[in-house]
Amino acid sequence: MSTVSDFVKAAERADPTLAGSSDKDKAEIAKLSNETEGYVKDLSALNEKLTPLTYLYSNAPSSADISLYAHLHPSLINAPPTQHPEKPSLLRYFLQIQSLDSVKSAQKELPNSFPSLDIDLSSLPVPERKAPPPKVKKDKKAAPAPAAGVAETVTNAVNAAASSASAAVSAATETAVNAASAVKDAVVGGSPSAPVEGGKGNGNGQKKEKKEKKEKAPKAPAVKEEPTGPLPSMIDMRVGRVLDVKRHPDADSLYVESIDVGEEEPRTVCSGLVKYMSEDQIRGATIVVICNLKPVTMRGVKSFAMLLCASSKDGKDAPGGIEFVLPPEGSQPGERIYFEGEKYENAKPEAQLNPKKKIFETIQPGFTTLETREAAWIDPETKTVHKIRTKDGVLKAGTLVGASLS
């Protein structure tokens, strides 16, 4: 059977960029690849490590991801995913790397080595959500215990009062008791030599008594809201209609489309569909447009949106490997597209997604098409299915089942 190293090399032959483009990238990726075998020794810790990550290095897949996939493979083959419902980030990552074209190419080159694991996400049990432990406030530093000379001070005060006048014994005793109480409440650095009167020093360098602090009523523990992270409802998806399409003047793989999304002016969009669709297939099509990504300049042409397409689970290069996700028939440009579920249906999308927060990159691995070809997002934590729809119905792919949407 082929080794992990053989599998990684096969993937690199399919996609040389996995190894890194610069000497620095290559060194970092090689270092991470060497560490991946150790990662799988503690799957719970690995799940925590993968929670905020899309890939191990930077914003694109690398040889380190292929290596970790191969090292993880035995754990998921021998212990089905149903035994790991509490590790949603690990499962999400594994399926994401498994769907890469370079991995599929390596599987074809090395048959029976690290084959794809068929996981029906909707069948996985819902992970138990444990409430975070309440915060325990640290006790304020306790006041130092009264100095050992307190008893001695009280005794001296009583004796002094008694020797001055026997008739004043009872008064002296009361004075001594009050003095003891004052000394006990005072914060002193050493043994006092006489009672403290009126909260002031006695002229012999004794420290002033601190004012007694009123006890504050204990505050009720704050209820910490459960973190939600990026939500699919943050993504602004709308129905669009392609008004025109032409080849990019400086990029052989790109089209430049003019798309009506219900605004005053059409949006210019660059898409890498030259290998997969003709201009006639695109021109006039009613499609799904992601409108709140940060605009990017692609070979001199600024692109203001992205088209949502379905990619075959057999790879983009398979016959019919890419096709549009289609809104319901009769949909009009600008119509809102949203996710089913009380939490998402009425939520307002972000005006523009912050690329540093990787909102779309975090949500995208859950996009898929169901057996009915209906487009949906599957929550990686709860495994609940949220169909993607307009007011008139659910979005669908033309033919692809189990497709990735991007």
Side-chain angles (χ1 to χ4, degrees), residues 346-361:
N346 297 313
K348 187 177 180 181
E350 300 280 303
Q352 184 179 100
L353 298 180
N354 185 341
K356 293 183 179 180
K357 294 183 178 180
K358 300 189 182 302
I359 293 171
F360 183 77
E361 292 84 350

Side-chain angles (χ1 to χ4, degrees), residues 17-54:
T17 64
L18 291 172
S21 54
S22 67
D23 290 341
K24 178 185 176 183
D25 289 344
K26 290 176 182 178
E28 291 294 332
I29 290 170
K31 180 182 176 183
L32 280 171
S33 298
N34 291 333
E35 295 172 353
T36 54
E37 185 174 4
Y39 290 164
V40 301
K41 293 178 181 178
D42 187 343
L43 296 185
S44 295
L46 179 57
N47 182 74
E48 291 297 319
K49 178 180 179 66
L50 293 173
T51 297
L53 300 179
T54 303

Side-chain angles (χ1 to χ4, degrees), residues 1-15 18 33 62-74 94 97-117:
M1 182 176 177
S2 302
T3 64
V4 171
S5 177
D6 294 333
F7 192 76
V8 172
K9 289 178 181 177
E12 289 176 343
R13 283 192 287 274
D15 183 0
L18 291 172
S33 298
S62 69
S63 302
D65 295 300
I66 311 300
S67 177
L68 181 54
Y69 167 82
H71 282 300
L72 263 177
H73 198 275
F94 185 86
I97 304 306
Q98 177 176 279
S99 68
L100 295 175
D101 290 342
S102 55
V103 170
K104 295 182 183 298
S105 178
Q107 290 167 338
K108 289 179 181 178
E109 183 178 333
L110 304 172
N112 302 321
S113 295
F114 311 104
S116 291
L117 189 60

Side-chain angles (χ1 to χ4, degrees), residues 222-239:
V223 179
K224 188 177 179 181
E225 291 186 6
E226 184 179 349
T228 55
L231 300 176
S233 52
M234 294 177 176
I235 301 171
D236 180 7
M237 290 194 287
R238 304 180 212 167
V239 175

